[in-house]
């Protein structure tokens, strides 16, 4: 009798365990990105996102964060690492793969974006409406931008448009490199982690980056001046994607998918946008303490840069129209969304 009771009890326990494998499933996700852990996005967006996901999954989701390309490859390979399942999640700059995401370039046009939060919310709406097809080979978690981009230059810096002539400047995207060339500089494309060495060795005279990333790459120690522009819009904007491998997401049980979903979309875009804004505040404060010269071009000089920016926009519209894309509609939608969130 005791033996029969033991067998029945064992069978019941086995049946119970078999009936709830999904609820007991634990998942480890590997997250790969290109910045050091002390940079604004890892510190104020990625790490808090990980903590929230792990807490809301009751510890069943574990996320291993690998910064600074620790798992190998170069920053331009990150998107494919997520697509191909080399890693589970990536955060990357879309401009590292020129031409791959043409529709989102509408947000990279000169003098398009404002703050990180407002422009990121606008960009999330824009991609959901216009460009999700460009990300069909991954499971997007969110899209975002940084805050206003500006010039960081060695020597006397840029005080008028003519000062751009002959400068060798790092450009993050093909749109920005076109703009820098039209402004009279020589644009050199490179991922942001390569900027410090390029500056110290004289390969470049400066870079366009937002304040947010300046501390992580020690920009204030390597240049003498920082040139910003009148108004609330930066010289340029770069776009980013936070994405998961499609099979990884599909393989999650429904309750863990919900945890990921609850931390995706606008809530995620706002988290990353806020991190950019916090990073901008920190980077600007460091520059003020450094003794470097902070230059803000007046409205008249800013308008001269905007006139060049208008030709960059016209080039892009003509290029996209030639590919059958209604580029004017994309630019109008991008502007309208930025204005909508800027007014809030």
């Amino acid at each position: 009798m005791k033996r029969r009771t033991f067998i029945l009890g064992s069978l019941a326990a086995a049946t119970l365990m078999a009936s709830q494998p999904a609820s007991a499933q634990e998942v480890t996700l590997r997250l790969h990105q290109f910045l050091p852990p002390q940079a604004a996005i890892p510190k104020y967006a990625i790490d808090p996102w990980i903590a929230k996901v792990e807490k809301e999954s009751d510890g069943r989701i574990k996320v291993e964060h690998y910064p600074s390309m620790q798992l190998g490859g170069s920053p331009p390979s990150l998107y494919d690492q997520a697509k191909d399942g080399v890693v589970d999640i990536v955060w990357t700059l879309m401009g590292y793969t020129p031409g791959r995401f043409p529709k989102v370039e509408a947000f990279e046009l000169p003098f398009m974006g404002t703050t990180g939060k407002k422009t990121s919310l606008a960009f999330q709406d824009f991609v959901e409406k216009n460009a999700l097809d460009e990300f069909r080979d991954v499971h997007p978690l969110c899209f975002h931008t940084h805050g206003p981009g500006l010039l960081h230059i060695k020597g006397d810096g840029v005080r008028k448009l003519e000062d751009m002539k002959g400068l060798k400047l790092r450009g993050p995207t093909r749109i920005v490199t076109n703009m820098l060339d039209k402004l009279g500089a020589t644009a050199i494309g490179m991922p942001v982690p390569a900027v410090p060495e390029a500056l110290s060795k004289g390969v470049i005279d400066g870079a366009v980056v937002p304040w947010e990333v300046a501390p992580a790459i020690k920009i204030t120690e390597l240049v003498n001046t920082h040139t910003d522009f009148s108004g609330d819009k930066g010289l340029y904007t770069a776009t980013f994607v936070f994405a998961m491998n499609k099979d990884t997401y599909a393989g999650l049980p429904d309750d863990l998918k919900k945890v990921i979903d609850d931390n995706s979309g606008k809530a995620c875009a706002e988290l990353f946008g806020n991190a950019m804004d916090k990073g901008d505040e920190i980077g600007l404060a460091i520059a003020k303490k450094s003794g470097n010269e902070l230059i803000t071009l007046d409205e008249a000089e800013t308008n001269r840069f905007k006139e060049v920016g208008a030709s960059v926009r016209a080039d892009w519209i003509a290029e996209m129209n030639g590919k059958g894309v209604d580029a004017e509609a994309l630019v109008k939608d991008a502007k309208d969304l930025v204005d909508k969130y800027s007014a809030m």
Side-chain angles (χ1 to χ4, degrees):
M1 184 69 176
K2 287 182 180 180
R3 177 176 174 78
R4 183 170 180 272
T5 302
F6 174 78
I7 292 172
L8 289 173
S10 298
L11 288 171
T15 301
L16 179 62
M17 291 175 65
S19 69
Q20 54 180 0
S23 64
Q25 183 174 337
E26 294 186 1
V27 177
T28 298
L29 305 175
R30 299 200 306 169
L31 190 159
H32 201 201
Q33 55 89 15
F34 60 89
L35 285 179
Q38 71 271 20
I41 284 295
K43 186 173 183 179
Y44 301 117
I46 292 176
D47 286 347
W49 184 89
I50 290 171
K52 194 164 181 285
V53 164
E54 290 183 342
K55 181 179 179 181
E56 292 177 9
S57 70
D58 294 324
R60 288 168 48 219
I61 295 177
K62 305 289 184 184
V63 183
E64 297 175 351
H65 181 188
Y66 295 92
S68 304
M69 302 305 300
Q70 287 179 350
L71 295 180
S74 61
S77 71
L78 280 167
Y79 186 83
D80 281 332
Q81 288 185 8
K83 177 178 75 72
D84 298 335
V86 176
V87 298
D88 300 297
I89 301 173
V90 300
W91 172 76
T92 191
L93 179 82
M94 296 184 208
Y96 285 162
T97 50
R100 187 167 191 168
F101 311 105
K103 293 178 186 175
V104 304
E105 289 177 340
F107 261 75
E108 297 176 358
L109 295 170
F111 297 99
M112 178 65 74
T114 58
T115 68
K117 174 184 173 179
K118 292 176 180 178
T119 312
S120 293
L121 289 170
F123 185 52
Q124 179 73 32
D125 281 358
F126 176 88
V127 177
E128 288 181 3
K129 178 180 177 182
N130 299 294
L132 277 179
D133 60 305
E134 296 187 343
F135 304 91
R136 56 184 171 269
D137 48 7
V138 297
H139 178 80
L141 299 173
C142 72
F143 306 92
H144 74 97
T145 73
H146 57 54
L150 64 152
L151 297 160
H152 309 266
I153 311 293
K154 291 179 176 180
D156 292 335
V158 173
R159 302 164 193 276
K160 58 184 183 301
L161 181 60
E162 288 76 12
D163 294 335
M164 293 289 291
K165 188 172 182 179
L167 291 175
K168 295 177 293 182
L169 301 180
R170 173 261 179 178
T173 70
R174 76 185 195 100
I175 299 295
V176 177
T177 55
N178 182 33
M179 175 187 69
L180 293 175
D181 286 339
K182 282 180 173 285
L183 289 168
T186 298
I188 300 175
M190 66 179 68
V192 75
V195 168
E197 183 177 4
L199 276 170
S200 64
K201 290 185 175 180
V203 175
I204 55 176
D205 301 307
V208 288
V209 295
W211 284 118
E212 160 268 326
V213 79
I217 59 174
K218 303 185 185 303
I219 202 84
T220 55
E221 300 173 23
L222 296 166
V223 304
N224 309 100
T225 65
H226 313 272
T227 299
D228 207 347
F229 299 83
S230 295
D232 63 346
K233 294 184 177 179
L235 176 64
Y236 82 100
T237 306
T239 58
F240 301 82
V241 60
F242 190 42
M244 178 180 283
N245 174 265
K246 288 185 76 169
D247 290 339
T248 297
Y249 177 80
L252 295 174
D254 288 345
D255 60 337
L256 294 189
K257 280 181 183 172
K258 184 177 186 305
V259 172
I260 297 297
D261 293 346
D262 289 346
N263 290 281
S264 299
K266 273 194 177 180
C268 181
E270 184 170 359
L271 171 67
F272 278 72
N274 281 333
M276 287 294 192
D277 289 338
K278 185 175 181 65
D280 280 347
E281 293 174 7
I282 295 169
L284 177 57
I286 291 172
K288 287 179 177 178
K289 290 181 181 179
S290 73
N292 287 358
E293 187 172 6
L294 277 68
I295 303 163
T296 300
L297 301 185
D298 63 21
E299 185 176 354
E301 196 62 37
T302 296
N303 284 338
R304 297 183 69 202
F305 279 77
K306 287 183 176 180
E307 288 173 7
V308 176
S311 72
V312 175
R313 183 168 61 251
D315 286 350
W316 183 80
I317 289 173
E319 178 190 359
M320 291 299 107
N321 286 347
K323 296 178 178 179
V325 175
D326 187 352
E328 290 94 339
L330 292 178
V331 171
K332 182 180 186 305
D333 202 28
K335 286 182 174 180
D336 288 348
L337 286 166
V338 170
D339 290 345
K340 168 190 169 183
Y341 281 100
S342 294
M344 289 182 176

